[in-house]
Amino acid sequence: MNSYLIKKEKQPNPMTPMHLVALIDLSLFTLLSFRSGVFVMFILMIGASKVVLNYLTYIILRKYKMGDTYLAIIVAMILSLGLAMQLRLSTDVGFKQFIWYLTGLSIFLVTSSIFQLVNKRIRSIWFFYILMIILFILTLLIGKSINGAKNWIVLGKISFQPSEFIKILFVFFIASFVSNPEALRLKLGDRSASPKWILMIMVFIILGFFVLQREFGTALLIFMVYLSTIYVFEKAITFIATNAILAGSAALIAVKIMPHLQVRVDSWLNPFADIAGKGYQITQSLFAIGSGSFFGTGIGFGYPHFIPNVETDFIFSAICEEMGIFGGIAIIIMFVLLLYRGIKICLGLRDPFTKSLAFGLTITVAFQTFLIIGGVTKLIPLTGITLPFVSYGGSSMLSSFLILGLLQALSGSILREEAFEFEKIDNK
């Protein structure tokens, strides 16, 4: 009895990680409230509201046994750094980002709760593909061009990027193929075409739509997700090599004939050759990261506004400038932990559809993070996509929370399966 009590006392408090996030939130937002030398109560209220919402979300997940609670903890920490930097750049922009965070949190909780109701009912590969095509056609017909890419739909005061949600539909599409490849088998008399080659044609049509919209970053993202998923679940090396060669050849041709892409490649290879022109963004990003050194200039003491589109594409550079390289490393570690939890959920699932879905959603976030951080640090050319949960924007925030909600629901299904197995053992 005494040994049982001792073991029970040594069990860690499940709220400890959330207490740590709350402590960091209060410290960060309190410091941010004094950045101008005058106390700004509004910023502290946003920080306090976020702490309360973090606790409420965590309590709901634990009370109703909705799966992996560490997903919410990791994202809460990422959001803290992102929201604090958005408020530092502009109070108005930061407040709008907080509103998007509230909306995204609602989507997360709703998705986590209702996904199991429709999970086994909607798995048709054609359903997801046709839905993607409809969104592409709508964007081409009524879409608006912003920064050279026709990837926005504007309805009055509401605007959104369909591509942010197409990438999620694409993951469902690939998961449907993995679970039922025969759905794409095309019979021609006595012969039939392999489902994988039909899939390749369908995927390249999707990539073609992205090219028409000049949405090259998202095209690269879904292609990476496509190849990775096929490699993991199909292990078709020849097929993957063929896809890579075709896509690589098409990319080289596109760079040669499209000035927009040529500018991106030139500014990546040698941004200092035209530091006041096409190399301005990336050089300012590098200067910001370098000036931050290890510990940063401090919140409010840097010059992130020198970087164009700093609140969207280059938010990571701003974080590195004012929070230091260690702040940037903290962001990367959080995303690595998110990748780890997502892969763990994938390994715990038995159903091929949900297993491939969890894998696809996880690597979508991972590849998106790699592409944007690699772009602003000059590791790879700039792609123009956003950093999940950190960059400003409603479409990005909502799609990121939708992915998180789906992963949460999938982790909850593992918990229910384990509970069912234990119940069967007890009944025996």
Side-chain angles (χ1 to χ4, degrees), residues 381-392:
L382 285 169
T383 55
I385 62 177
T386 56
L387 185 59
F389 302 107
V390 181
S391 294
Y392 172 74

Side-chain angles (χ1 to χ4, degrees), residues 17-28 47 51 54-55 77:
M18 192 53 70
H19 292 332
L20 180 60
V21 174
L23 179 62
I24 294 173
D25 275 351
L26 292 175
S27 302
L28 188 60
V51 169
N54 287 344
Y55 276 113
M77 192 66 252

Side-chain angles (χ1 to χ4, degrees), residues 256-321:
K256 293 293 183 182
I257 65 176
M258 295 184 178
H260 175 67
L261 284 181
Q262 187 63 57
V263 167
R264 288 195 178 189
V265 173
D266 290 342
S267 62
W268 169 57
L269 293 174
N270 190 8
F272 296 97
D274 187 11
I275 197 170
K278 57 188 178 184
Y280 183 77
Q281 272 188 315
I282 187 63
T283 52
Q284 290 301 315
S285 172
L286 295 174
F287 289 149
I289 294 172
S291 63
S293 190
F294 287 104
F295 299 102
T297 60
I299 295 180
F301 294 99
Y303 301 94
H305 289 292
F306 287 164
I307 311 172
N309 302 319
V310 64
E311 68 279 355
T312 52
D313 296 0
F314 290 88
I315 189 65
F316 182 77
S317 305
I319 290 173
C320 288
E321 180 178 7

Side-chain angles (χ1 to χ4, degrees), residues 16-258:
T16 299
M18 192 53 70
H19 292 332
L20 180 60
V21 174
L23 179 62
I24 294 173
D25 275 351
L26 292 175
S27 302
L28 188 60
F29 285 95
T30 301
L31 182 63
L32 189 62
S33 300
F34 286 100
R35 79 179 192 278
S36 61
V38 178
F39 179 67
V40 182
M41 187 64 183
F42 173 71
I43 294 178
L44 187 59
M45 288 176 63
I46 288 181
S49 300
K50 184 180 177 301
V51 169
V52 172
L53 290 169
N54 287 344
Y55 276 113
L56 285 175
T57 304
Y58 185 78
I59 291 168
I60 290 171
L61 294 178
R62 281 189 60 83
K63 181 178 180 180
Y64 295 100
K65 296 180 173 59
M66 296 173 67
D68 188 354
T69 55
Y70 283 101
L71 289 173
I73 294 173
I74 294 167
V75 170
M77 192 66 252
I78 296 172
L79 280 161
S80 298
L81 297 176
L83 185 58
M85 184 51 64
Q86 295 292 354
L87 285 166
R88 178 265 178 269
L89 293 171
S90 168
T91 305
D92 292 338
V93 169
F95 179 67
K96 290 178 183 177
Q97 185 78 337
F98 181 70
I99 298 300
W100 287 122
Y101 157 64
L102 294 178
T103 309
L105 190 60
S106 302
I107 289 176
F108 164 71
L109 293 173
V110 171
T111 304
S112 303
S113 303
I114 69 171
F115 176 70
Q116 293 301 324
L117 301 177
V118 298
N119 176 22
K120 295 183 179 180
R121 299 179 183 180
I122 305 177
R123 293 190 175 186
S124 169
I125 190 170
W126 291 107
F127 171 78
F128 298 117
Y129 192 75
I130 291 170
L131 205 54
M132 285 191 289
I133 297 298
I134 291 172
L135 286 175
F136 276 125
I137 293 173
L138 283 175
T139 307
L140 291 173
L141 291 177
I142 64 173
K144 183 178 180 181
S145 294
I146 298 178
N147 295 327
K150 192 174 184 180
N151 58 353
W152 287 86
I153 290 181
V154 181
L155 302 172
K157 294 183 179 180
I158 300 174
S159 62
F160 67 98
Q161 282 182 287
S163 59
E164 288 287 344
F165 303 97
I166 288 174
K167 69 186 182 188
I168 300 175
L169 289 173
F170 184 81
V171 174
F172 275 90
F173 165 71
I174 294 296
S176 298
F177 172 80
V178 170
S179 62
N180 184 24
E182 291 302 311
L184 290 186
R185 185 171 293 281
L186 180 63
K187 293 185 178 180
L188 299 171
D190 296 333
R191 299 181 179 181
S192 62
S194 173
K196 287 198 294 290
W197 299 108
I198 302 299
L199 174 71
M200 185 184 76
I201 294 171
M202 295 171 73
V203 169
F204 274 80
I205 290 172
I206 294 295
L207 295 176
F209 275 111
F210 277 120
V211 171
L212 289 176
Q213 294 180 3
R214 299 169 68 89
E215 183 80 9
F216 302 104
T218 309
L220 176 59
L221 172 64
I222 69 163
F223 186 72
M224 293 169 73
V225 172
Y226 161 61
L227 284 192
S228 300
T229 307
I230 296 300
Y231 174 75
V232 170
F233 291 94
E234 298 292 327
K235 298 179 182 178
I237 304 300
T238 303
F239 176 74
I240 292 170
T242 303
N243 278 265
I245 291 170
L246 288 175
S249 302
L252 290 175
I253 295 171
V255 170
K256 293 293 183 182
I257 65 176
M258 295 184 178

